[in-house]
Amino acid sequence: MGPRTKPVIHYEAAFEDHLRQKGLPYIAVDEAKKALFAGAKLKSFDFVVYRPEGKNLLVDVKGRKLSATSASLQNWTTREDIDDLRQWQDIFGDGFTAMFLFMYWWDGRPEAAPFKDLISHQNHWYALMGIGVSDYREHMRPRSEAWGTVHLPMADFRRLAKPFEEWL
């Protein structure tokens, strides 16, 4: 896989560990992207995940903390993230689907989590909810014009996002 040039964020480390445990082939793309697309000015995504069947995944991990006192499913991102991830999908072509993976770090007891499926990594619990960039773009709403952020209304997010396992 090679050394990483960016610091490993605990959300990404947890996801990478999950991929290894599932035996899924993947590439952490920070180095791979630089080698393949040295002239590109696009923001990098985090992983290419090779699925046993269907389209492979271009995954941009979005880490969010979730607690019993604040159980809001934050799903915001930037317009730049959406535009760049869509362009990566076009570059990689028909065999790939670009997606946001919202990883919710649950700081409570796993049995009290608002999700039925959690993964564990280094004594932390995470829920993995994925949504395709095209669906996200179609239903997004402005969050902050000043910051260039958008989000999905909660009803749309709950309807469109699905556990990562369902993407496999």
Side-chain angles (χ1 to χ4, degrees):
M1 183 175 0
R4 293 175 179 258
T5 58
K6 66 180 184 177
V8 177
I9 298 167
H10 69 97
Y11 296 99
E12 294 171 12
F15 182 60
E16 189 168 4
D17 184 57
H18 182 64
L19 294 173
R20 277 193 203 114
Q21 288 181 22
K22 304 251 345 140
L24 291 169
Y26 70 92
I27 297 172
V29 297
D30 58 320
E31 281 301 309
K33 189 271 297 184
K34 288 179 184 174
L36 294 172
F37 304 103
K41 301 287 187 224
L42 302 175
K43 180 181 177 276
S44 180
F45 55 96
D46 300 302
F47 294 91
V48 177
V49 177
Y50 296 95
R51 296 172 51 194
E53 296 178 18
K55 292 184 177 186
N56 298 311
L57 303 173
L58 308 176
V59 181
D60 191 357
V61 174
K62 302 293 183 193
R64 305 288 185 259
K65 189 167 184 184
L66 188 64
S67 68
T69 59
S70 173
S72 172
L73 298 180
Q74 295 290 317
N75 64 64
W76 61 269
T77 190
T78 66
R79 289 182 189 277
E80 179 185 21
D81 287 347
I82 293 165
D83 293 342
D84 289 356
L85 193 55
R86 281 184 48 114
Q87 287 183 61
W88 281 119
Q89 182 172 276
D90 291 344
I91 289 168
F92 276 77
D94 288 338
F96 293 84
T97 297
M99 67 177 294
F100 292 112
L101 182 68
F102 289 93
M103 288 190 63
Y104 295 100
W105 172 21
W106 174 250
D107 69 356
R109 295 182 337 268
E111 60 274 9
F115 300 96
K116 67 176 185 164
D117 297 320
L118 295 174
I119 66 166
S120 175
H121 179 73
Q122 297 184 348
N123 298 318
H124 296 296
W125 294 99
Y126 301 87
L128 286 63
M129 298 297 292
I131 184 167
V133 69
S134 297
D135 283 340
Y136 193 101
R137 187 169 190 264
E138 182 179 336
H139 299 281
M140 70 185 186
R141 300 289 180 265
R143 183 173 192 254
S144 168
E145 291 297 330
W147 291 92
T149 57
V150 293
H151 75 286
L152 290 183
M154 194 49 52
D156 289 334
F157 185 74
R158 288 188 185 277
R159 181 172 47 84
L160 297 168
K162 56 187 178 180
F164 180 72
E165 301 308 311
E166 293 182 25
W167 285 86
L168 302 179

